[in-house]
Amino acid sequence: MIPRYMIDFDLQSLPHMKTDVVVIGAGIAGLYTALQISEYANVVLISKKGLDDSNTRWAQGGIAAVTTKSDSPALHRQDTLIAGAGLCSYEAVEVLVHEGPERLKELIAYGTEFDKDAQGRYELTKEGAHSKRRILHAHGDATGAEIVRALSKRTLEQPNITVMENHFAIDVVTQDDECVGVIVMKPDGEIFYIESNATVLATGGAGQLYRYTTNPDIATADGIAMAYRAGARIKDVEFIQFHPTALYYPGAPRFLISEAVRGEGAILRNTSGERFMEKYHPQKELAPRDIVARAIVTEMEKTNSSFVYLDITHESEELIKHRFPTIYKFCLKYGLDMVTDWIPVAPACHYIMGGVQTDLNGETSTRRLFACGEVSCTGVHGANRLASNSLSEAVVFGHRIAERIKQLTPHGGTRMFDAREEKRSNRTVNTMEQRVKLQKLMLRHVALKRQEKGLLKALEEIERMGRYYYYQHRDREAFEFLNLLTGAMLTTRAALLREESRGGHYRIDFPNKDDLIWRKHIIQSIHEGVREESDLSNVE
Ligand code: SIN
């Protein structure tokens, strides 16, 4: 049902260019990987908006890595495995915790300035499910913005990185199960082809699958959908992380209120003013995210309310303003003063743990196609990501991708072909309206609490929309909608199959974790269908 390519084209007649490596996406994964590759090759970096418009830009909490003697890779590994609820790849986590500190140094060498205390030591914070303070941050709560600033500046200074802003990567081109290039749309709508020796998907996540998300509007599952169409394997996409605390206030967007606020002592209260997390987990407000998010929903249901409160009023004004200047100012814009007011919050979609399956060098099951950052499934996050591990994962695996691509010999060149299909219609449809409809459907049936009946209903509707829309599209908004539709189909299908609850997947009809049957991954491929792969590689 899903067409191999989203548009009709005859490759022969498209304008062509050639480069060594194409990197798609300009968050931390894209920028960092491009910089590493630029040390030995030419790179084209494609960004569907401007360089400062990625999801990374909004990351508040920070980057997790072991930097002190009181901490150790073994502790970081243990925290990551526990949060991942039995589905992390032990080897991938080992790579993360051992290589993270080195990559952090490179990030600093590229110009990133993390916050330091008066003695010149890095200020470290704590977040949910971390046993130690090991999270570096910048400008209090603007870590992502600082990383993007430093890496973009460096990228623009590199003569062998060509940055193409406001360009949209429509599809990767494959031949003989290898990726040989990318079809790209210019801002004026012109389509062209870039042939490359390797292609890196660094397209971020899929937060726009849901009506409420902390992600910007660019998070439209592009990389997952593109890779799926190209035949690459997609893994564990039923696991969606809802951040427990997004601002919930009339007229305000679902702005992220960093977990670091709870790390610095904030507590959660229901609308009757009662602190409730002790009923749900011994780590209370700092329990793994999935547990906190579901506890909040349960309290909201009990009190018949659409939010709970986050209370940090017992901390000093100085600490709040120093550690959380961005959040403080944002809330104040809406008349909420964190120093004196409880902040109304509710869960919102934040991160997708699954994605395009990769090996330990970031390569997907399609040769020469790599995936880095949120779009990938390296195995680091399992069923639930540990806070602040995403930025670390991007740099650790970005470095490995650069090392792997260095060893690739050139492919034999692209054979010309014609991808025109008669079925395609030129009708323009209002995909923005359909996007909202899809987001509401996903929120209702495929969000924090799922069950068979709702999942079947959602899948039926998604497939119906697919039959109608896959062959009618023209502009960039439509491409994004179709990518979301593919992402929604993959997530819902996997959620239906997994008849148990763990991490970012909770089934009301199967509320328990079932290690006997479900210590396995769900892998989907357009060619091979759906298969389950058992995983006994780690103990929590
Ligand atoms: C946060 O600041 O709470 C988000 C950090 C993350 O998602 O790792």
Side-chain angles (χ1 to χ4, degrees), residues 306-379:
S306 24
F307 60 91
V308 296
Y309 288 111
L310 185 67
D311 171 12
I312 193 169
T313 55
H314 48 281
E315 295 294 346
S316 72
E317 179 167 353
E318 195 196 342
L319 178 132
I320 294 171
K321 288 185 175 167
H322 168 70
R323 275 293 285 114
F324 307 112
T326 316
I327 302 172
Y328 177 77
K329 278 188 213 132
F330 193 88
C331 289
L332 208 57
K333 242 178 34 191
Y334 293 91
L336 296 163
D337 184 343
M338 288 170 79
V339 176
T340 51
D341 298 330
W342 297 352
I343 306 298
V345 292
C349 176
H350 186 57
Y351 194 87
I352 181 162
M353 267 68 73
V356 189
Q357 182 182 22
T358 73
D359 62 17
L360 291 180
N361 295 314
E363 194 163 14
T364 72
S365 58
T366 299
R367 214 170 113 76
R368 299 179 191 277
L369 181 64
F370 294 77
C372 188
E374 189 170 349
V375 64
S376 70
C377 182
T378 61

Side-chain angles (χ1 to χ4, degrees), residues 58-63 127 130 135 141 214 241 243-245 256-262 289 327 350-351 385-391:
W58 300 101
Q60 294 175 356
I63 179 163
E127 288 182 296
H130 282 273
I135 295 152
D141 54 3
T214 60
Q241 185 169 77
H243 196 288
T245 57
L256 178 68
I257 310 288
S258 176
E259 192 151 313
V261 178
R262 278 173 283 135
R289 266 185 199 169
I327 302 172
H350 186 57
Y351 194 87
R385 177 178 62 92
L386 185 68
S388 290
N389 264 355
S390 46
L391 300 181

Side-chain angles (χ1 to χ4, degrees), residues 25-158:
I28 183 171
L31 292 168
Y32 182 87
T33 309
L35 281 168
Q36 296 267 305
I37 296 170
S38 74
E39 286 173 21
Y40 62 83
N42 293 318
V43 182
V44 170
L45 179 76
I46 296 173
S47 172
K48 69 175 179 172
K49 273 196 160 179
L51 276 196
D52 56 358
D53 276 321
S54 64
N55 202 1
T56 302
R57 151 102 181 64
W58 300 101
Q60 294 175 356
I63 179 163
V66 172
T67 57
T68 59
K69 289 213 170 68
S70 65
D71 195 5
S72 70
L75 283 174
H76 190 188
R77 179 183 66 214
Q78 178 179 296
D79 295 344
T80 303
L81 294 177
I82 291 173
L87 283 189
C88 299
S89 146
Y90 188 88
E91 292 77 22
V93 175
E94 276 285 276
V95 164
L96 178 88
V97 299
H98 286 283
E99 297 180 15
E102 259 324 290
R103 303 289 85 81
L104 184 69
K105 284 186 200 151
E106 274 163 12
L107 211 46
I108 293 166
Y110 283 147
T112 312
E113 291 177 13
F114 292 106
D115 293 343
K116 292 184 177 165
D117 64 17
Q119 284 74 45
R121 289 176 305 225
Y122 285 112
E123 267 182 10
L124 300 175
T125 192
K126 197 163 181 248
E127 288 182 296
H130 282 273
S131 57
K132 292 281 174 193
R133 283 190 168 259
R134 65 166 71 94
I135 295 152
L136 283 88
H137 49 85
H139 309 301
D141 54 3
T143 312
E146 169 58 15
I147 291 174
V148 167
R149 179 203 64 73
L151 297 187
S152 314
K153 178 170 180 290
R154 187 82 178 208
T155 297
L156 293 170
E157 286 163 5
Q158 296 308 307

Side-chain angles (χ1 to χ4, degrees), residues 267-285:
I267 59 177
L268 288 162
R269 298 180 185 280
N270 61 24
T271 45
S272 310
E274 294 152 5
R275 185 177 185 184
F276 57 82
M277 270 315 298
E278 47 225 351
K279 285 189 292 188
Y280 295 92
H281 197 275
Q283 283 174 288
K284 299 177 198 156
E285 279 79 4

Side-chain angles (χ1 to χ4, degrees), residues 156-177:
L156 293 170
E157 286 163 5
Q158 296 308 307
N160 53 346
I161 303 182
T162 305
V163 177
M164 295 185 178
E165 289 180 295
N166 301 307
H167 281 58
F168 190 85
I170 298 175
D171 265 308
V172 294
V173 172
T174 44
Q175 64 186 32
D176 308 327
D177 288 331

